[in-house]
Amino acid sequence: MDTNKHKNSMYPIKWDREEILKEAAYITERTIEEKESDVIYVDDYGDLLDGYNAQTTRGGHSLPQNMTNEDAFDCALQFKIDLIEPLVDNYKKIYVNNICNDNHSGAFGYFVNQAMKSILELKYPKKVKVTNHRQFMNHYIVGRIGFVITHGKDDVSLKFGFKPHLKPDGVEKIDQYCKNNDLYKKCDLIIFCKGDSHQELFDMC
């Protein structure tokens, strides 16, 4: 991401391959330090990549970038692998859930996540399980706790998607999803997680 394209940005922070891979190392180090279980779930709520040909999935919204499509693919794939491989020796099982229906990455993000799935499940068939979710809303269950996960906006129609503060129409969508998938019968607790507004305070409720 080019954070200072016009040389007048208030926050001209360097954000390139080197910085991104540094962040992957930092995340895994802190995760291992704070380990509380032999099993870990790693969720990616979408927008992994900032667009193919510097466009969002709907087009018409150009994004300032400092990488080609090929560079972005290589960097994103390396990031995803670097995020998981250090965990392999520290956990008995690693479950990865990738949202592949969003408004920035779209199919481009799916390509990276599918490549990551193929590589990691081949290298660590007994340890790593990757699920690439292609619907707008998805879920997984751990014991009696259900996690409903989404990016918040999709690749085609939901331009405005879920709001940072949940609105009645958003509650209805989640409720209908839970009913349609029998989550109220299967779960004692349901946690809804989304990624679009990129603020944990709002996104995890």
Side-chain angles (χ1 to χ4, degrees):
M1 179 171 59
D2 188 345
T3 61
N4 195 23
K5 182 179 180 180
H6 302 292
K7 309 305 177 190
N8 62 356
S9 174
M10 290 177 62
Y11 308 104
I13 299 166
K14 181 184 174 188
W15 190 242
D16 57 11
R17 179 187 175 90
E18 181 184 358
E19 294 301 310
I20 289 166
L21 297 184
K22 275 186 193 175
E23 286 299 311
Y26 174 77
I27 291 167
T28 54
E29 286 168 12
R30 289 299 304 273
T31 300
I32 293 166
E33 284 173 12
E34 299 181 18
K35 177 185 173 185
E36 295 181 354
S37 170
D38 288 330
V39 177
I40 188 169
Y41 289 78
V42 181
D43 291 356
D44 174 351
Y45 299 137
D47 278 3
L48 168 68
L49 286 147
D50 210 11
Y52 186 77
N53 289 333
Q55 296 280 317
T56 59
T57 57
R58 297 177 187 89
H61 179 184
S62 63
L63 306 159
Q65 296 183 321
N66 58 28
M67 296 185 191
T68 64
N69 291 333
E70 293 82 1
D71 291 337
F73 178 93
D74 291 343
C75 179
L77 181 57
Q78 191 65 59
F79 172 84
K80 300 287 284 200
I81 291 171
D82 286 1
L83 204 63
I84 301 303
E85 284 203 312
L87 305 179
V88 170
D89 290 334
N90 292 276
Y91 294 89
K92 290 181 179 177
K93 194 74 176 181
I94 301 167
Y95 295 96
V96 182
N97 292 282
N98 297 314
I99 295 292
C100 300
N101 189 332
D102 55 41
N103 60 316
H104 278 242
S105 296
F108 198 18
Y110 175 77
F111 299 156
V112 170
N113 286 321
Q114 193 64 17
M116 171 236 196
K117 175 181 171 70
S118 298
I119 292 167
L120 291 179
E121 288 188 346
L122 182 63
K123 287 183 74 174
Y124 311 106
K126 295 181 180 179
K127 284 234 176 177
V128 179
K129 172 64 178 174
V130 179
T131 304
N132 292 324
H133 301 278
R134 300 183 67 186
Q135 293 179 307
F136 172 61
M137 291 177 69
N138 310 269
H139 73 275
Y140 63 91
I141 298 172
V142 182
R144 294 283 298 174
I145 302 175
F147 293 86
V148 177
I149 58 176
T150 181
H151 174 64
K153 293 178 184 172
D154 73 353
D155 53 358
V156 178
S157 56
L158 288 170
K159 185 176 181 181
F160 299 105
F162 286 109
K163 303 293 186 283
H165 294 285
L166 202 56
K167 302 292 183 182
D169 60 338
V171 173
E172 184 179 352
K173 281 187 178 73
I174 297 166
D175 179 53
Q176 291 300 318
Y177 179 86
C178 291
K179 288 175 179 173
N180 192 54
N181 289 278
D182 288 328
L183 296 189
Y184 293 128
K185 296 177 183 176
K186 298 173 183 175
C187 306
D188 296 325
L189 173 66
I190 296 170
I191 299 174
F192 173 70
C193 308
K194 78 175 190 68
D196 178 55
S197 54
H198 309 287
Q199 299 177 59
E200 185 179 20
L201 176 65
F202 294 144
D203 292 345
M204 197 161 186
C205 55

